[in-house]
Amino acid sequence: MASEGKIIEHPKKAFGWAARDTTGVLSPFHFSRRETGEKDVAFKVLYCGICHTDLHMMHNEWGNSIYPLVPG
C-alpha cells in the first residue's frame, strides 16, 4: 500500500473506472498492482457489479474513502 502522499509503482498494469471525488462520477483510470504471489489466488473477472456499499464509498458517506476509488 502507498503511504500518505507516496505513490508506489507496481509492475502489473490495470484498468478500472474510478470515482475521483464525492460526486460519484466514474471515469477511466489506469493504475498498477503488484504481481500475483505464490500464496495468492488468481481468477479472471468476467462481470462486475456495484453494490450499495460501493455507492456509499464513492460518495464518502462514511468519511473514510480514499480517492481515486475503483468500486465493484
Side-chain angles (χ1 to χ4, degrees):
M1 294 188 100
S3 54
E4 188 84 23
K6 183 178 179 183
I7 297 174
I8 298 174
E9 187 69 25
H10 293 288
K12 293 286 277 188
K13 302 301 178 196
F15 174 79
W17 287 83
R20 297 171 189 270
D21 55 36
T22 59
T23 64
V25 174
L26 299 176
S27 61
F29 181 63
H30 293 273
F31 59 99
S32 64
R33 63 178 185 81
R34 66 175 175 80
E35 292 284 350
T36 305
E38 65 179 47
K39 294 186 178 183
D40 292 328
V41 175
F43 57 94
K44 183 176 182 178
V45 176
L46 300 177
Y47 303 96
C48 180
I50 295 179
C51 71
H52 202 82
T53 299
D54 293 323
L55 298 176
H56 288 296
M57 292 297 293
M58 287 166 44
H59 294 288
N60 196 26
E61 293 174 357
W62 298 326
N64 62 348
S65 298
I66 299 172
Y67 298 99
L69 184 145
V70 179

